[in-house]
Structures are given as structure tokens and as C-alpha cells.
């Protein structure tokens, strides 16, 4: 956990306007072992860029101060994960986990239902949506998954979303 003082010290006076965003991101990271890569961070490019610059600055300053080094070491593991999950990629290849709603724990099920309504029926479909959203424009995704998303009515919204917003170059069944 992070105290408000630690968060403000990390942000410095020039980053205090990003306090709520950072608090929310760090609170969400408390569920990282349960939610993993499906976590969605409400962070714009400017905020993300500031956090990266601030972490880099603290890394440089950590050489001259044990207090700054301690602060850097506390924030770094969390922010590195957040940076990976908020970046955009030209290509993604994945073999997602398969887990239907009935096997999800309550926290995961609630999160998936709230943030992935068109793919919530199974984690493999959620990861399809996660990966598609993490691509740059004209980015490519390759994924091994179950074929049920192409046929079951519970994935109809997802099929419509994919056809309306993406292009399928190749598919094997």
C-alpha cells in the first residue's frame, strides 16, 4: 500500500494534478494477481508520459539519496507493469487462458462484467478484446483460442464489434 504522502512525494509539485489517476492505478494494482492483464487503467497519454518521466527522474536521483532510492524502489515494480499494460503494440501473439464465468472468482467476474461486457463469457474472449484494444492502428494480433466465439449467441456482440472495428486477415478453424 502507498500512503498519500508517498504518492505526493513521487509526483512532486509538478505532478500533483495526476494524484487521483495514480491513486486509482495503484489501488487497481492491488488486484493484479487476480485480474492480471485484463486491468484497465484510466490514464491518458500525458499522464502516462509524466509517470514515466517521473520514474526515470527518480531513478537518476536515487544514486544520491537513500530516501529517493527507497521511493523509486517502492513505485518502480508497480509502474513498470502499468506502463506495459497501457502501451500500444504493433503486434501481439497470445495463447490466452480459457475460463468461463462460472469458474471465475467473484472479483474477477465482477470486473470482467463491468469492463468487458461484449466478451465477458470467457477469459479467452476477454483477452481477444484486451489484445485488440492494445494494438496500434493497423497492428496485428495472432491468437490461439477456442472457436466458440464464432458461433455462440453469447459472443454475438463481440463478433459485431470485431467486424465493425477490425479486419480479419487470416483465420484457421
Amino acid at each position: 500500500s502507498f500512503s498519500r504522502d508517498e504518492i505526493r512525494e513521487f509526483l512532486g509539485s509538478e505532478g500533483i494534478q495526476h494524484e487521483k489517476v495514480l491513486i486509482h492505478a495503484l489501488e487497481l494494482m492491488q488486484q493484479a494477481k487476480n485480474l492480471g492483464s485484463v486491468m484497465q487503467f484510466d490514464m491518458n497519454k500525458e499522464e502516462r508520459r509524466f509517470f514515466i518521466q517521473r520514474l526515470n527522474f527518480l531513478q537518476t536521483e536515487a544514486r544520491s539519496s537513500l530516501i529517493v532510492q527507497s521511493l523509486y524502489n517502492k513505485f518502480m515494480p508497480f509502474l513498470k507493469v502499468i506502463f506495459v499494460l497501457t502501451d500500444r503494440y504493433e503486434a501481439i501473439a497470445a495463447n490466452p487462458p480459457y475460463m468461463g464465468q462460472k469458474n471465475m472468482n467473484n472479483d474477477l467476474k465482477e470486473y470482467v462484467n463491468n469492463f468487458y461486457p461484449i466478451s465477458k463469457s470467457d477469459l479467452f474472449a476477454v483477452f481477444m478484446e484486451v489484445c485488440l484494444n492494445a494494438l496500434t492502428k493497423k497492428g496485428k494480433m495472432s491468437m490461439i483460442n477456442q472457436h466458440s466465439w464464432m458461433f455462440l449467441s453469447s459472443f454475438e456482440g463481440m463478433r459485431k464489434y470485431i467486424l465493425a472495428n477490425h479486419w480479419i486477415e487470416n483465420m484457421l478453424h
Side-chain angles (χ1 to χ4, degrees), residues 3 59 73 81 111 116 156 160:
S3 71
Q59 182 180 21
N73 289 339
V81 171
Y111 192 84
Y116 300 97
E156 182 177 357
K160 288 179 179 179

Side-chain angles (χ1 to χ4, degrees), residues 1 4 11 42 81 99 105-106 123 125 127 149 151 160:
S1 64
R4 190 165 193 185
L11 293 170
D42 188 20
V81 171
M99 180 188 297
N105 65 43
N106 288 336
L123 270 184
F127 273 87
W149 71 273
F151 310 108
K160 288 179 179 179

